[in-house]
C-alpha cells in the first residue's frame, strides 16, 4: 500500500451529488415509515388491548444525523483509501456496526486511548460526534492523515467555555462522567496543549458536595486526591485550584442536576469568600445540549400527562443521554432500557439494561395480560428503524399485524 498522500486539507464532503447518494443510503438503513406516520398522527397506536405512545421528541438529533451523514459521505469521497473511526461515531451498536459494514475500520482502544501507531499519511480518520482529546488530534495531524471531524457543535461550545476558563486562570469543574469520550475531550481543552489549565470532573451531587465541603473548610488533601483520582488534571491541588472555579458540563447530563451542581458550588464559594466576591471566584455558562433537553422535557411531559403502565427506552447502553431518560422513567414507573427489539423475548420475559447493576438482566412477568399502555422514547443516538422494530415486536406479542392497521407500505 502507498503510505503517503498529498497534504490533507479541507474537503467538501457535502456536495449535492454526494449528499444525494448519502441520503438514499441513510434512509434505507434508518428510516421508519411507521414512526413517521405516528409522528404525524399524534404518536399513539392502539389495538389488541395494547396502546403505544411515543414521546413528542426522541431519536436522532441534528448533531447525530450530521455525524452519520459525514461518515457515509467519507466512504463516497475517499474510495480506495483506508478509513478509520476513532472509537464509535455515536453510542449505538447498530449504527456503528453499519459503518463497519461500509468498510470503516474502528481504531482499537488501549487503556482508554485509541491506537494510532498503524496509521499512515494516506489514511482517513473520522472523529466522532463526541470529539477527541487534544493529544489525539495532534498525533493524527502529525501523521498527516485526512481528518473528517464530526464533532457536535454543542460539544464545541463547551470547549470554547473551558478554553476561556483556562485563559482566565479558572479551574473547570466539569459535571460529567470522567470515563466518557466527550468529557475526556473537554477536559483536554481545559488543560490545553501547554498544560497550564486545570479541571475536576464531578459525576453527581454527592461528589459535588465533597468539593463544596473542601471549598468551604478545606480538608484532607490526600483523601480528596484519592477520591477524584482519574477525574482531575495533572498536579491538581485542591488548596489552590478550587479558589477560582467555573462550571461546565458534559452536554448529555440532566439539566436539573447540572443546575444544582452550579447552585451548590456557587453557594460554597459565597460561603467561603462572601457573595460580593463571587465574580472573583466563580463562573458559569449553560452548555446543556438543546436536543438532550428537548428529549428529557418530552418524556417528562408524557409521564405527567399520560397514565402509562410501563416505559420502554430504546438506545445504546453506553449512551449517556439515553441512560438519563431511563433514570427519569425509573423514578416514576416500571422502565425497561433496551438496545433493540430482540430483547423483548416474550410476553413473559424481557431482557434489559439494569442501570444499577451495570449489566443486562431478565425480568419475568413484565407485560400485563389485560389492557396495557406503554410509553416509548429513545436517545439521540437511536435511529427510527429500531423504534419501529420495537413497536412491531410489542404488537406481535398480541398477534396484531401493524402493517394491516396502517396505510403504509415500504418502497
Amino acid at each position: 500500500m502507498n503510505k503517503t498522500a498529498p497534504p490533507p486539507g479541507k474537503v467538501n464532503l457535502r456536495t449535492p451529488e454526494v449528499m444525494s447518494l448519502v441520503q438514499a443510503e441513510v434512509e434505507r438503513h434508518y428510516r421508519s415509515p411507521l414512526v413517521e406516520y405516528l409522528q404525524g398522527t399524534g404518536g399513539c397506536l392502539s389495538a389488541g388491548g395494547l396502546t403505544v405512545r411515543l414521546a413528542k421528541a426522541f431519536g436522532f438529533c441534528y448533531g447525530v444525523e450530521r455525524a452519520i451523514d459525514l461518515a457515509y459521505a467519507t466512504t463516497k469521497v475517499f474510495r480506495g483509501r483506508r478509513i478509520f473511526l476513532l472509537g464509535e461515531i455515536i453510542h449505538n451498536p447498530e449504527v456503528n456496526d453499519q459503518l463497519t459494514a461500509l468498510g470503516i475500520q474502528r481504531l482499537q482502544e488501549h487503556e482508554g486511548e485509541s491506537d494510532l501507531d498503524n496509521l499512515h499519511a494516506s489514511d482517513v480518520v473520522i472523529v466522532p460526534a463526541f470529539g477527541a482529546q487534544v493529544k489525539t488530534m495532534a498525533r493524527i495531524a502529525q501523521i498527516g492523515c485526512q481528518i473528517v471531524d464530526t464533532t457536535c457543535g454543542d460539544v464545541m461550545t463547551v470547549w470554547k467555555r473551558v478554553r476561556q476558563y483556562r485563559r482566565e486562570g479558572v479551574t473547570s469543574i466539569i459535571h460529567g462522567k470522567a470515563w466518557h469520550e466527550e468529557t475526556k475531550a473537554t477536559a483536554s481543552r481545559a488543560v490545553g496543549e501547554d498544560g497550564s489549565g486545570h479541571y475536576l470532573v464531578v459525576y453527581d451531587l454527592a461528589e459535588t458536595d465533597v468539593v463544596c465541603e473542601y471549598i468551604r473548610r478545606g480538608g484532607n488533601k490526600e483523601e480528596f486526591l484519592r477520591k477524584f483520582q482519574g477525574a482531575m488534571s495533572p498536579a491538581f491541588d485542591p488548596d489552590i485550584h478550587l479558589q477560582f472555579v467555573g462550571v461546565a458540563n458534559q452536554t448529555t447530563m440532566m439539566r436539573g442536576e447540572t443546575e444544582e451542581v452550579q447552585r451548590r458550588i456557587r453557594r460554597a464559594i459565597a460561603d467561603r469568600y462572601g457573595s460580593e466576591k463571587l465574580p472573583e471566584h466563580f463562573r458559569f455558562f449553560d452548555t446543556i445540549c438543546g436536543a438532550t433537553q428537548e428529549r428529557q422535557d418530552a418524556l417528562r411531559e408524557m409521564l405527567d400527562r399520560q397514565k402509562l403502565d410501563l416505559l420502554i427506552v430504546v438506545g445504546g447502553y453506553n449512551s449517556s443521554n439515553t441512560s438519563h431518560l431511563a433514570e427519569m422513567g425509573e423514578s416514576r414507573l416500571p422502565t425497561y432500557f433496551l438496545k433493540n427489539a430482540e430483547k423483548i423475548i416474550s410476553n413473559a420475559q424481557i431482557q434489559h439494561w439494569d442501570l444499577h447493576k451495570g449489566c443486562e438482566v431478565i425480568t419475568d412477568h413484565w407485560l400485563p395480560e389485560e389492557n396495557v399502555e406503554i410509553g416509548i422514547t429513545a436517545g439521540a443516538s437511536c435511529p427510527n428503524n429500531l423504534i419501529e422494530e420495537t413497536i412491531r415486536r410489542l404488537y406481535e406479542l398480541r398477534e396484531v399485524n401493524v402493517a394491516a392497521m396502517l396505510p403504509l407500505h415500504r418502497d
Side-chain angles (χ1 to χ4, degrees):
M1 167 179 282
N2 178 18
K3 296 185 180 181
T4 62
K10 293 267 186 183
V11 176
N12 181 15
L13 301 181
R14 307 189 77 172
T15 64
E17 295 80 11
V18 170
M19 290 314 297
S20 65
L21 296 173
V22 167
Q23 192 63 33
E25 200 164 14
V26 168
E27 286 193 4
R28 186 167 71 252
H29 290 158
Y30 306 121
R31 182 180 171 229
S32 165
L34 170 60
V35 170
E36 291 166 10
Y37 175 84
L38 291 176
Q39 286 177 308
T41 56
C44 181
L45 188 64
S46 187
L50 171 65
T51 297
V52 167
R53 294 188 182 276
L54 287 176
K56 287 184 179 179
F58 57 85
F60 278 177
C61 63
Y62 169 76
V64 166
E65 289 179 344
R66 174 181 172 274
I68 291 172
D69 284 352
L70 287 172
Y72 274 68
T74 300
T75 66
K76 312 295 181 192
V77 174
F78 297 106
R79 290 182 185 276
R81 292 172 67 173
R82 296 197 308 173
I83 302 173
F84 293 91
L85 170 64
L86 285 175
E88 299 180 322
I89 191 76
I90 56 174
H91 284 153
N92 186 278
E94 278 76 10
V95 173
N96 288 296
D97 288 347
Q98 189 65 57
L99 295 184
T100 299
L102 293 177
I104 298 175
Q105 302 178 58
R106 295 266 292 279
L107 286 169
Q108 300 300 315
E109 288 197 351
H110 301 286
E111 298 182 356
E113 296 185 12
S114 296
D115 182 4
L116 310 179
D117 291 342
N118 294 319
L119 288 177
H120 306 148
S122 58
D123 295 332
V124 180
V125 177
I126 301 173
V127 177
F130 327 107
Q133 296 181 62
V134 170
K135 62 181 178 182
T136 301
M137 295 296 289
R139 176 68 178 133
I140 295 170
Q142 181 185 48
I143 293 169
C145 301
Q146 177 71 53
I147 296 174
V148 176
D149 192 349
T150 78
T151 304
C152 175
D154 287 321
V155 173
M156 289 192 285
T157 296
V158 180
W159 293 354
K160 179 181 177 182
R161 296 305 183 192
V162 298
R163 283 195 295 260
Q164 180 179 339
Y165 289 159
R166 187 182 77 239
R167 287 193 297 269
E168 296 177 353
V170 177
T171 297
S172 293
I173 295 183
I174 304 168
H175 176 219
K177 301 169 181 177
W179 60 89
H180 193 282
E181 300 95 323
E182 180 191 326
T183 297
K184 287 181 179 179
T186 297
S188 73
R189 270 81 186 172
V191 172
E193 293 185 38
D194 62 357
S196 61
H198 290 278
Y199 70 85
L200 179 70
V201 181
V202 293
Y203 172 62
D204 54 18
L205 295 180
E207 290 192 355
T208 301
D209 285 342
V210 172
V211 175
C212 289
E213 182 65 16
Y214 204 99
I215 289 172
R216 288 188 176 98
R217 299 176 179 85
N220 186 316
K221 182 190 295 188
E222 288 70 26
E223 185 178 311
F224 184 96
L225 294 175
R226 280 196 300 272
K227 180 172 182 59
F228 289 98
Q229 185 175 5
M232 57 190 172
S233 52
F236 185 88
D237 185 338
D239 292 335
I240 298 171
H241 300 126
L242 291 179
Q243 294 181 23
F244 193 179
V245 300
V247 179
N249 59 277
Q250 183 180 316
T251 59
T252 52
M253 301 301 280
M254 297 280 285
R255 176 185 288 274
E257 187 174 38
T258 291
E259 290 175 342
E260 183 60 22
V261 168
Q262 175 261 326
R263 281 192 291 268
R264 292 188 186 190
I265 293 175
R266 187 179 189 276
R267 281 200 301 269
I269 291 289
D271 289 346
R272 174 70 182 271
Y273 299 103
S275 298
E276 69 282 358
K277 295 284 190 179
L278 271 171
E280 299 174 25
H281 296 275
F282 181 76
R283 297 280 189 276
F284 173 72
F285 295 97
D286 180 7
T287 50
I288 286 288
C289 164
T292 295
Q293 187 58 39
E294 184 182 33
R295 280 146 187 75
Q296 292 174 6
D297 290 344
L299 175 56
R300 189 173 293 108
E301 179 182 346
M302 183 168 69
L303 294 175
D304 288 342
R305 294 189 176 186
Q306 306 297 335
K307 189 173 177 58
L308 303 174
D309 296 293
L310 59 94
L311 175 71
I312 289 178
V313 179
V314 187
Y317 296 152
N318 59 342
S319 166
S320 178
N321 74 87
T322 311
S323 297
H324 290 311
L325 294 175
E327 288 175 11
M328 290 175 63
E330 275 189 355
S331 69
R332 304 279 289 273
L333 77 174
T335 297
Y336 303 99
F337 182 5
L338 321 174
K339 72 176 181 180
N340 57 42
E342 294 177 3
K343 301 301 177 180
I344 303 175
I345 301 170
S346 66
N347 283 301
Q349 288 189 321
I350 188 169
Q351 189 171 11
H352 59 102
W353 188 257
D354 187 308
L355 292 170
H356 309 286
K357 294 180 179 178
C359 63
E360 281 189 327
V361 298
I362 292 179
T363 295
D364 298 322
H365 312 298
W366 71 281
L367 187 63
E369 295 181 2
E370 303 301 324
N371 292 340
V372 59
E373 193 155 325
I374 299 177
I376 296 182
T377 189
S381 53
C382 181
N384 280 356
N385 66 301
L386 296 185
I387 301 168
E388 171 173 330
E389 291 166 8
T390 300
I391 295 172
R392 289 182 178 274
R393 176 58 180 153
L394 289 171
Y395 279 105
E396 282 178 7
L397 299 180
R398 295 297 174 101
E399 299 183 347
V400 173
N401 183 355
V402 172
M405 298 167 56
L406 305 171
L408 297 171
H409 70 276
R410 288 193 177 277
D411 296 333

